[in-house]
Amino acid sequence: MMKRDIFTSGFGVLAATLGSAVGLGNIWKFPALTGLNGGAAFLVIYLLSTLMAGLPVMIAELMLGRRSRSDALTTFRVLHPQRESWGLIGAVGVLSAFLILAFYTEVAGWVFAYVFKSVTGSILSTDPTVTSAAFAKLIADPVQSIFWQFLVIIFVGCIIVAGVSKGIEKTTKRLMPMLFLILVMIGIRSLMLPGAAEGLTFLFRPDFSKVTGAVVLTAMGLAFFKLSVGMGTMITYGSYFTEDQDIPMTALRVMVADLTVSLLAGIAIFPAVFTYGFKPEAGPALLFITIPAVFSQMPFGTIFVVLFFVLGAIASTGAMLSIMEVPVAYLHQRFGLSRFKATAMTVVLLALVGSTAALSNSTLAGFKLFGMTMFDLYDFLTSNLLLPLGGFFLSLFAGWVWGEKKVRSALSNEGTLANRTVVSFFLFQVKYVAPVIIIVILLRGLKLI
Ligand code: PHE
């Protein structure tokens, strides 16, 4: 057997795993969803779903991956050969990877385009009608949409080809510290603005009247999406963890750091929005319409616009690496393809699926399924259905099928870690809490109960 290319240090593990969690979810989804769905009320539900469903599933995935030292699909075959059907979790995971990447690379494409366009100044204006027109022009242009998306796909592919330690680990180790630095800089600048208090009130004021079954499902979907769980990303990354890595601790750290980034992003965005009299309800367009206009009003604003989109580019890169690694690891291990061939295949396939999302605002704007464009459909299908479902079956597998003794020895690193209570708590969560919560929220959110 080939020697497995794995992460080489504790910091590398943390940088890569956190790099996966932190992404467009923090700056594109989190602030917009929180602002739209009742502020602190949404935040509380999101937090609870993270603690009771997201975190246990993350620990389960990392644990299974490290034990099997295999990709998302093969893991189940290795750990439970008696019943092949568990492998379906991994198969659906590989499918989800393509669906997420399809729309994710498009948004990342806009972000990369905006880094470039804010440097040249072409999207900068203090007038939101101008920035709105600039954004509309970009997304309605099929050539530009495809160009930026393919550029991003190829960029991520090039890092993936370099390998787990020399590509993913090396890149995320450099990017993560930069990300925090930029975020703190923008956050401090924002908090010094006169509208800071109003902005923070908007983000944190609880409005429980907005909370419906669908909103709760959205919050849980965000919890899964944020922690990159429910589709085998963390199984794949877990398979690159060293044997002495403390898995529950790593997961907890990643969760806390990821949450911090989300809150900092909210703190960076909303004070500025209020100071300059903008409406926060702009949804995802907040990023591409409001941000350039708002930051352009500040002294030295251009620098902050550029910084903001660089931040987005950095964050999205770490996340895309981890999603693309799922099919690449599978093709590499299962069919013995070289890393180059596995990546090339993934890139081509992704370009095909991805272009249907990229063209959702132009050529394919009229093409809808269930009332949604392909872009919205992929987003809804993965966050609100496939990731929670994947999380449900993963917790059942870890809690009931694989066996308590194996869980105990895997999570305590064969008894070398003194974490009996933590592991018992995890077992309780993964056996009873997570599956029940997930299934209830899912059925209720889809109006099936
Ligand atoms: N966690 C990433 C983000 O918030 C997205 C992601 C989802 C990454 C699923 C991997 C798997 O942007």
Side-chain angles (χ1 to χ4, degrees), residues 99 201 207 221 228 241 291 296 318 347 355 383 420 423 427 446:
L99 296 182
T201 316
D207 179 359
S228 317
F241 272 37
I291 294 290
S296 295
V347 162
S355 52
S383 286
R420 271 198 78 85
V423 177
L427 274 164
L446 299 173

Coordinates of all heavy atoms in Angstrom, one line a residue, residues 99 201 207 221 228 241 291 296 318 347 355 383 420 423 427 446:
L99 N -22.2 19.4 -5.3 CA -23.3 20.4 -5.3 C -22.9 21.7 -4.6 O -23.2 22.8 -5.0 CB -24.6 19.8 -4.7 CG -25.2 18.6 -5.5 CD1 -26.5 18.1 -4.8 CD2 -25.5 19.0 -6.9
T201 N -26.8 46.3 18.0 CA -28.1 46.0 18.5 C -28.9 45.2 17.4 O -29.6 44.2 17.7 CB -28.9 47.3 18.7 OG1 -28.0 48.2 19.4 CG2 -30.2 47.1 19.5
D207 N -35.5 38.6 18.3 CA -36.8 38.8 17.8 C -37.4 37.4 17.5 O -37.3 36.9 16.4 CB -36.8 39.7 16.5 CG -38.2 39.9 15.9 OD1 -39.2 39.3 16.5 OD2 -38.4 40.5 14.9
G221 N -29.1 23.9 9.5 CA -28.4 23.8 8.3 C -27.1 24.6 8.3 O -26.0 24.1 7.9
S228 N -18.6 22.3 8.4 CA -18.2 21.3 7.3 C -18.5 19.9 7.6 O -17.7 19.0 7.3 CB -16.7 21.4 7.0 OG -16.3 22.8 6.9
F241 N -5.2 13.0 10.2 CA -4.8 13.4 11.5 C -3.7 12.4 12.0 O -3.7 11.2 11.8 CB -6.0 13.3 12.5 CG -6.8 14.6 12.6 CD1 -7.0 15.3 11.5 CD2 -7.3 15.0 13.8 CE1 -7.8 16.5 11.5 CE2 -8.1 16.2 13.9 CZ -8.3 16.9 12.8
I291 N -21.3 46.4 1.1 CA -20.0 46.5 1.6 C -19.1 47.5 0.8 O -18.5 48.4 1.4 CB -19.2 45.2 1.7 CG1 -19.9 44.3 2.7 CG2 -17.8 45.3 1.9 CD1 -19.7 44.7 4.1
S296 N -16.5 52.5 1.1 CA -16.0 53.6 0.3 C -16.2 55.0 1.0 O -15.6 55.9 0.6 CB -16.7 53.6 -1.1 OG -16.4 52.5 -1.8
G318 N -9.6 28.0 1.9 CA -9.5 26.9 2.9 C -10.7 26.0 2.9 O -10.5 24.8 2.9
V347 N -11.9 18.4 -11.3 CA -12.0 19.8 -11.8 C -12.9 19.8 -13.0 O -13.8 20.7 -13.1 CB -10.6 20.3 -12.1 CG1 -10.7 21.5 -13.1 CG2 -9.9 20.6 -10.9
S355 N -21.0 25.2 -13.8 CA -21.5 26.2 -14.7 C -23.0 26.4 -14.7 O -23.5 27.4 -15.0 CB -21.0 25.9 -16.1 OG -21.3 24.6 -16.5
S383 N -27.6 22.4 2.3 CA -27.6 22.9 3.7 C -28.8 22.4 4.4 O -28.8 22.0 5.6 CB -27.7 24.4 3.7 OG -26.4 24.9 3.4
R420 N -12.2 10.5 29.9 CA -13.4 9.6 30.0 C -14.7 10.3 30.0 O -15.6 9.8 29.4 CB -13.3 8.8 31.4 CG -12.5 7.5 31.2 CD -12.8 6.6 32.4 NE -14.1 5.9 32.3 CZ -14.2 4.8 31.6 NH1 -13.2 4.2 31.0 NH2 -15.4 4.2 31.4
V423 N -15.7 11.7 26.7 CA -16.1 10.6 25.7 C -17.5 10.1 26.1 O -18.3 9.9 25.2 CB -15.1 9.5 25.7 CG1 -15.5 8.4 24.8 CG2 -13.7 10.0 25.2
L427 N -20.7 10.2 23.7 CA -21.5 9.0 23.4 C -23.0 9.3 23.6 O -23.9 8.9 22.8 CB -21.1 7.8 24.2 CG -19.9 7.0 23.5 CD1 -19.2 6.1 24.6 CD2 -20.4 6.2 22.3
L446 N -39.3 20.9 7.0 CA -39.9 20.6 5.7 C -41.4 20.5 5.7 O -42.0 20.0 4.8 CB -39.2 19.3 5.2 CG -37.7 19.4 5.0 CD1 -37.1 18.0 4.6 CD2 -37.3 20.4 3.9

